[in-house]
């Protein structure tokens, strides 16, 4: 027969037109599975950009990272870099921050006495608020609180007797988010993505105004708790706060310090004290917003791989049944002089064309899914994110964006054709065709 490629292409398209039901079955098998994954990929990318922009808006386009050393038990084994003192460690951190184009804007320390207390220097406090020291009375200490105060926050203001600590007086605020997740009410598919968004810290930050009252306050707290009496009043965690204008610089600094690549992860002072490096975001939730999307993408890729396996198995079984049904047509092709290669070409093109149609159907399903969820959720989501990030204006909601997963899904659909064809070759054998014709 010696089929031309154009003739094989025509015959393959004729099969699609002639057997609409089975063609639609294969197309839907592939497109629905991948369309859902692709739709969530679109939404995840758009929602990730939306939450990132909202987080940046909440922190005035800045990213704040705190880095410092916390003391650990001396019996911990491993390699510890020898260092003269913690002041030298702070110098290393400062020099490292400057290499990443960060600006050191202050310090924050955590003291664990009767209650955990976080202390910042006045220079840092002035970065976030106009401080009103006039409301302080004798013996009282100034502190910054989050933009809103609620039950979650107030638990940090308890004194050792579990009463409101009257020694602390709020004289300013700092950027924060709500303690709860920014999820929407009811069963909403977007909550699968929103549930991973993290809140920024919510606890009082006592301001060290240089008067020495902080140390006396901490000693008084420790004296009222038997387990804390006699303890040396030193910070459990003493950190430097670095501000970044660029997210790329901030995330590079964050990962390198978190992994101890640019400065030592573990240090030991001459007196035998050992310390571990800690690094985290503060006053904002920009990095956590991006990392949430990154983690969700990993889960989507895992689901995509699972769907590829399911789609290939179902398509192989469907295509094998299709060839069995076409036994008479294949026999007719052979009687007209078609070679085995010609028949392979016709059916490979047939399956390839269905995969192309499945790609188009997959994109339509994904776009419709993203569009419907945007239509029904855009306003509510904008209000929820505005409340969560405490913004003056509602953020613009985007639930659509292209990612590498898009390319991966399209290629995954297209490889269904050759994989299915290879596993179905035995159904084209003369023996199998003769058997099917005999059964018919």
């Amino acid at each position: 027969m010696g089929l031309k490629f154009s003739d094989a292409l025509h015959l393959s398209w004729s099969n699609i037109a002639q057997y609409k039901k089975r063609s639609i079955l294969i197309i839907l098998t592939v497109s629905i599975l991948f369309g859902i994954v692709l739709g969530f990929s679109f939404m995840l990318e758009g929602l990730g950009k939306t939450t990132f922009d909202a987080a940046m808006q909440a922190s005035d386009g800045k990213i704040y990272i705190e880095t410092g050393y916390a003391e650990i038990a001396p019996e911990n084994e491993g390699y510890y870099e020898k260092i003269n003192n913690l002041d030298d460690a702070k110098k290393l951190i400062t020099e490292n921050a400057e290499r990443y184009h960060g600006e050191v804007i202050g310090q924050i320390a955590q003291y664990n006495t009767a209650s955990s207390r976080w202390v910042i220097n006045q220079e840092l406090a002035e970065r976030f608020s106009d401080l009103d020291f006039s409301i302080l009375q004798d013996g009282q200490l100034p502190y910054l609180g989050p933009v809103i105060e609620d039950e979650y926050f107030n638990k940090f203001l308890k004194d050792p007797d579990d009463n409101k600590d009257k020694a602390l007086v709020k004289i300013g605020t700092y950027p924060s988010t709500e303690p709860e997740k920014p999820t929407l009410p009811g069963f909403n598919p977007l909550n699968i993505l929103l549930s991973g968004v993290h809140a920024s810290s919510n606890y009082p930050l006592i301001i060290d105004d240089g008067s020495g009252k902080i140390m006396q306050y901490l000693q008084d707290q420790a004296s009222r708790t038997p387990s804390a009496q006699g303890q040396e009043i030193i910070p459990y965690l003493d950190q430097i706060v670095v501000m970044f204008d660029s997210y790329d610089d901030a995330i590079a600094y964050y990962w390198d310090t978190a992994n101890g690549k640019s400065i030592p992860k573990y240090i030991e002072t001459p007196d035998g004290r050992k310390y571990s490096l800690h690094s985290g975001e503060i006053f904002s939730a920009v990095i956590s917003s991006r990392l949430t999307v990154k983690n969700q993408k990993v889960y989507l890729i895992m689901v995509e791989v699972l769907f590829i396996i399911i789609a290939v198995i179902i398509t192989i079984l469907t295509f094998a049944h299709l060839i069995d049904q076409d036994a008479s047509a294949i026999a007719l092709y052979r009687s007209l002089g078609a070679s085995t290669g010609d028949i392979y070409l016709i059916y490979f093109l047939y399956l390839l064309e269905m995969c192309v149609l499945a790609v188009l159907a997959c994109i339509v399903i994904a776009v419709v899914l993203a569009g419907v969820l945007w239509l029904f959720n855009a306003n509510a989501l904008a209000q929820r994110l505005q409340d969560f990030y405490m913004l003056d204006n509602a953020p613009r909601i985007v639930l659509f964006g292209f990612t590498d997963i898009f390319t991966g899904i399209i290629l995954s659909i297209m490889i269904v054709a050759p994989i299915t064809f290879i596993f179905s070759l035995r159904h084209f054998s003369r023996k199998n065709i003769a058997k099917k014709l005999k059964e018919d």
Side-chain angles (χ1 to χ4, degrees):
M1 186 174 178
L3 277 181
K4 295 180 181 179
F5 180 81
S6 58
D7 294 332
L9 192 62
H10 175 74
L11 287 172
S12 62
W13 276 112
S14 298
N15 276 347
I16 293 177
Q18 185 176 357
Y19 302 103
K20 294 184 179 67
K21 289 184 178 180
R22 72 183 187 187
S23 299
I24 290 174
L25 175 63
I26 295 177
I27 292 170
L28 290 179
T29 297
V30 179
S31 63
I32 291 177
L33 291 174
F34 286 102
I36 294 173
V37 177
L38 185 58
F40 270 93
S41 171
F42 286 157
M43 288 185 291
L44 175 61
E45 186 66 16
L47 189 57
K49 186 178 186 306
T50 296
T51 54
F52 176 78
D53 290 344
M56 288 291 284
Q57 183 181 342
S59 59
D60 294 327
K62 311 293 184 182
I63 301 99
Y64 304 94
I65 298 178
E66 52 181 353
T67 310
Y69 288 93
E71 187 171 4
I72 57 178
E75 58 266 20
N76 281 278
E77 298 181 354
Y79 174 74
Y80 291 82
E81 186 163 325
K82 305 297 182 181
I83 196 164
N84 291 328
N85 50 55
L86 289 181
D87 288 337
D88 285 351
K90 290 179 181 179
K91 185 178 179 181
L92 285 176
I93 293 172
T94 300
E95 293 173 349
N96 187 57
E98 292 173 350
R99 285 200 298 270
Y100 288 88
H101 309 106
E103 178 187 353
V104 175
I105 60 173
Q107 289 185 245
I108 181 170
Q110 180 184 355
Y111 292 85
N112 289 341
T113 53
S115 302
S116 290
R117 288 290 181 253
W118 291 264
V119 178
I120 63 174
N121 57 335
Q122 188 167 326
E123 178 186 3
L124 180 56
E126 291 171 347
R127 288 271 181 169
F128 303 109
S129 189
D130 294 326
L131 307 181
D132 184 10
F133 287 97
S134 65
I135 59 178
L136 292 175
Q137 298 180 9
D138 291 342
Q140 292 182 323
L141 295 173
Y143 78 85
L144 293 186
V147 177
I148 60 170
E149 292 192 32
D150 54 21
E151 183 178 351
Y152 179 84
F153 167 74
N154 284 327
K155 73 178 185 180
F156 291 108
L157 290 173
K158 302 285 185 166
D159 64 16
D161 298 322
D162 205 31
N163 299 315
K164 180 70 176 291
D165 194 338
K166 296 180 180 179
L168 301 179
V169 179
K170 180 179 176 180
I171 67 167
T173 61
Y174 66 85
S176 65
T177 57
E178 287 186 347
E180 303 297 330
K181 303 290 184 182
T183 51
L184 296 167
F187 177 76
N188 193 306
L190 293 180
N191 287 340
I192 297 174
L193 311 177
L194 290 170
S195 61
V197 177
H198 296 281
S200 56
S201 301
N202 286 288
Y203 41 72
L205 302 173
I206 303 174
I207 302 171
D208 186 356
D209 59 3
S211 65
K213 291 188 296 184
I214 294 290
M215 192 57 63
Q216 182 61 50
Y217 168 78
L218 294 173
Q219 289 172 345
D220 290 344
Q221 274 209 324
S223 66
R224 296 168 63 184
T225 304
S227 61
Q229 290 179 2
Q231 289 184 356
E232 183 182 3
I233 307 300
I234 59 174
Y236 162 75
L237 189 59
D238 194 3
Q239 297 188 294
I240 290 173
V241 180
V242 185
M243 182 183 72
F244 294 89
D245 294 320
S246 164
Y247 173 81
D248 291 336
D249 289 335
I251 193 68
Y253 174 85
Y254 173 82
W255 281 123
D256 283 357
T257 52
N259 296 321
K261 289 185 177 179
S262 48
I263 52 178
K265 180 70 175 177
Y266 303 101
I267 61 173
E268 182 178 1
T269 54
D271 58 1
R273 286 183 169 178
K274 295 180 178 179
Y275 299 84
S276 174
L277 181 67
H278 291 259
S279 188
E281 191 175 10
I282 189 173
F283 304 135
S284 59
V286 178
I287 291 178
S288 61
S289 171
R290 276 291 177 90
L291 294 183
T292 294
V293 175
K294 183 178 180 180
N295 292 335
Q296 294 286 6
K297 285 181 180 179
V298 173
Y299 294 137
L300 273 180
I301 291 173
M302 294 171 62
V303 173
E304 179 191 349
V305 172
L306 177 62
F307 279 9
I308 291 173
I309 296 172
I310 294 173
V312 169
I313 292 174
I314 294 176
T315 309
I316 288 173
L317 296 176
T318 305
F319 192 50
H321 180 67
L322 177 155
I323 297 171
D324 289 340
Q325 285 184 326
D326 278 9
S328 58
I330 294 173
L332 178 61
Y333 290 150
R334 291 191 185 281
S335 68
L336 293 175
S339 65
T340 300
D342 293 333
I343 296 172
Y344 285 170
L345 179 60
I346 293 171
Y347 280 88
F348 177 72
L349 289 174
Y350 172 63
L351 188 56
L352 198 62
E353 288 156 2
M354 286 192 293
C355 285
V356 171
L357 293 175
V359 167
L360 298 176
C362 174
I363 295 173
V364 170
I365 291 171
V367 171
V368 169
L369 178 61
V372 168
L373 284 176
W374 180 89
L375 185 65
F376 284 98
N377 292 285
N379 291 334
L381 180 58
Q383 184 61 53
R384 188 67 191 92
L385 290 177
Q386 182 179 5
D387 294 340
F388 179 76
Y389 286 108
M390 302 177 196
L391 306 176
D392 294 332
N393 301 305
R396 177 171 171 266
I397 301 300
V398 178
L399 288 184
F400 189 90
F402 287 97
T403 68
D404 293 339
I405 295 178
F406 173 77
T407 304
I409 288 177
I410 301 306
L411 292 176
S412 299
I413 294 175
M414 295 308 298
I415 67 171
V416 168
I419 292 175
T420 302
F421 184 78
I422 291 170
F423 279 95
S424 301
L425 284 176
R426 64 184 183 86
H427 292 276
F428 289 100
S429 67
R430 295 179 184 273
K431 182 178 179 181
N432 184 70
I433 297 300
K435 179 181 177 183
K436 295 306 297 182
L437 290 174
K438 184 177 180 181
E439 290 175 354
D440 295 338

